[in-house]
Amino acid sequence: MREGARVRLDYSAQSLWRVDRMIEEIRREGPPYAAVESVLRGLGAYAGEVIVRQTGAEWWATGGEHWVRTPDGRLWDPIDEARRCYAGHGSLRLLCRDATAPG
């Protein structure tokens, strides 16, 4: 993200449209993955927290990896999805939509 960027994120599913757009803008600027890895991790964690708040899910962690487990038992990896967004083939908004849909 640009230095000093002011982005309002309110933990709503709709806010993930903005997050997907931010990742797309970063991708278009073309920085090396290593330069944006921590930003992507943070945006993925934000998306995971949106899912947690929308569904009553909980965070699961093992071996340094973090997932969200929804009440129906499904596991979601929003941090990896943020990486996929940066690669041009993922969407945190769609991940949230799928995670909040009945399983």
Side-chain angles (χ1 to χ4, degrees), residues 5 11 13-14 16 23-24 29 32 46 58 62-63 66-67 73 78:
Y11 294 98
Q14 295 80 13
L16 295 176
I23 294 172
E24 175 61 24
E29 290 174 6
Y46 170 78
E58 22 180 49
T62 183
H66 295 83
W67 298 276

Side-chain angles (χ1 to χ4, degrees), residues 6 30-32 38 40 42 50 53 64 75 99:
R6 293 257 189 244
S38 64
L40 295 173
V50 170
R53 292 179 184 204
L75 288 173

Side-chain angles (χ1 to χ4, degrees), residues 1 22-31 36 39 43 86:
M1 291 192 303
M22 282 190 294
I23 294 172
E24 175 61 24
E25 288 173 15
I26 293 168
R27 185 171 74 81
R28 272 187 272 159
E29 290 174 6
V36 296
V39 170
L43 294 173
Y86 184 69

Side-chain angles (χ1 to χ4, degrees), residues 28-89:
R28 272 187 272 159
E29 290 174 6
Y33 177 77
V36 296
E37 183 176 9
S38 64
V39 170
L40 295 173
R41 186 171 183 78
L43 294 173
Y46 170 78
E49 189 61 24
V50 170
I51 294 168
V52 165
R53 292 179 184 204
Q54 296 283 319
T55 66
E58 22 180 49
W59 282 98
W60 283 58
T62 183
E65 295 295 318
H66 295 83
W67 298 276
V68 171
R69 184 172 184 184
T70 49
D72 59 12
R74 295 180 293 168
L75 288 173
W76 305 90
D77 191 344
I79 295 170
D80 187 57
E81 191 68 14
R83 293 181 195 121
R84 290 172 43 77
C85 290
Y86 184 69
H89 47 81

